[in-house]
Amino acid sequence: EKYAQKEGKGLPSDLPIRLDYIHAHVLKAKDCVLRGKDPVDTKKIQDTNVKNVVPADGRESLVVKYKGRHYRFKDEQNLEEFMIFPRKYENVALPSLEDMLKDLLGSLGKTMAEPLIDAMTHLGKKRPIYPSAKAPESAALFVALHLKAFNAKKGDEELKICKNGLNEFIKACSVATKLSKAYNQKDEEEATFLAKLYDFYALAAPKT
């Protein structure tokens, strides 16, 4: 910077600039490129063609601004690499969800892919929402329970237990609908409704 001022020239507009501690900590992961993942680490993984490896999260204190965009880095070494060769990493992108699913299914193989597809199909039909869980968590629980309930490697007795667990989960997911219907029925006694409501809030997410 001193050299540029001495020559009477300004700094190039596309120079990477490291942010100080205060300005770096104001930014959140969603404000950074790659949702805060380290671009250098991301490119290394992509160049080696390694599947199902998640790039490292960048640290809040290691942030570089380049062409109006912010990048986080996991360590000083990767930050310095970016400072020297920013153009090498500026267009790095995370794989799409579709590509990640394809890689996952490919690595699982046919024996695991078919049960997973079956579980996802049933998930789409039932769209379960467990009382004490949010939609993504409910979906993950359903898929896990479904895979266990239809695992061909399990014995008959163990499968029976797993299927009972899946059925109980599905039954619990329907509690909200039943409560709504019960509330709207004029002949439903208040005490009965309150008892059902208590059971609803007492439900906890099942262990998978």
Side-chain angles (χ1 to χ4, degrees), residues 134-164:
K134 296 180 180 179
E137 185 180 357
S138 297
L141 286 168
F142 177 86
V143 171
L145 291 169
H146 196 282
L147 289 174
K148 292 178 71 174
F150 293 93
N151 187 340
K153 295 183 179 181
K154 293 183 179 292
D156 292 341
E157 193 63 31
E158 190 175 1
L159 277 177
K160 184 178 179 180
I161 295 173
C162 292
K163 287 182 178 179
N164 285 337

Side-chain angles (χ1 to χ4, degrees), residues 4-193:
Q5 291 175 351
K6 184 177 180 181
E7 294 293 317
K9 300 178 182 179
L11 291 172
S13 59
D14 61 347
L15 271 183
I17 300 173
R18 179 173 182 170
L19 299 189
D20 57 36
Y21 181 87
I22 296 176
H23 289 90
H25 274 262
V26 173
L27 297 170
K28 297 181 180 179
K30 65 182 181 65
D31 300 321
C32 300
V33 177
L34 305 177
R35 298 193 294 275
K37 300 292 184 184
D38 187 321
V40 177
D41 193 56
T42 302
K43 182 166 176 55
K44 287 179 181 178
I45 293 172
Q46 293 176 356
D47 288 346
T48 54
N49 202 30
V50 178
K51 304 295 184 182
N52 304 319
V53 177
V54 180
D57 289 320
R59 289 164 54 185
E60 293 182 357
S61 57
L62 301 178
V63 181
V64 170
K65 183 178 180 180
Y66 180 62
K67 292 184 177 180
R69 307 169 77 194
H70 297 94
Y71 299 80
R72 278 185 177 181
F73 302 88
K74 69 175 184 178
D75 54 35
E76 291 282 351
Q77 182 178 353
N78 279 7
L79 185 148
E80 291 175 7
E81 169 73 12
F82 185 90
M83 293 288 287
I84 298 172
F85 305 107
R87 293 181 182 178
K88 182 179 177 180
Y89 303 101
E90 66 172 317
N91 294 320
V92 174
L94 293 174
S96 66
L97 179 60
E98 182 180 357
D99 291 337
M100 292 174 68
L101 285 174
K102 286 181 180 179
D103 291 339
L104 176 61
L105 292 175
S107 64
L108 289 174
K110 187 177 179 181
T111 55
M112 190 62 189
E114 290 180 356
L116 182 57
I117 291 172
D118 186 50
M120 296 297 287
T121 301
H122 282 83
L123 173 66
K125 292 179 179 179
K126 295 187 179 298
R127 297 182 181 275
I129 300 294
Y130 199 80
S132 61
K134 296 180 180 179
E137 185 180 357
S138 297
L141 286 168
F142 177 86
V143 171
L145 291 169
H146 196 282
L147 289 174
K148 292 178 71 174
F150 293 93
N151 187 340
K153 295 183 179 181
K154 293 183 179 292
D156 292 341
E157 193 63 31
E158 190 175 1
L159 277 177
K160 184 178 179 180
I161 295 173
C162 292
K163 287 182 178 179
N164 285 337
L166 175 62
N167 290 333
E168 286 298 318
F169 176 83
I170 295 172
K171 183 179 178 181
C173 289
S174 66
V175 170
T177 303
K178 291 181 179 179
L179 277 174
S180 179
K181 290 180 180 179
Y183 182 78
N184 292 323
Q185 290 177 356
K186 294 181 180 179
D187 58 344
E188 180 75 6
E189 295 183 4
E190 183 179 0
T192 305
F193 173 75

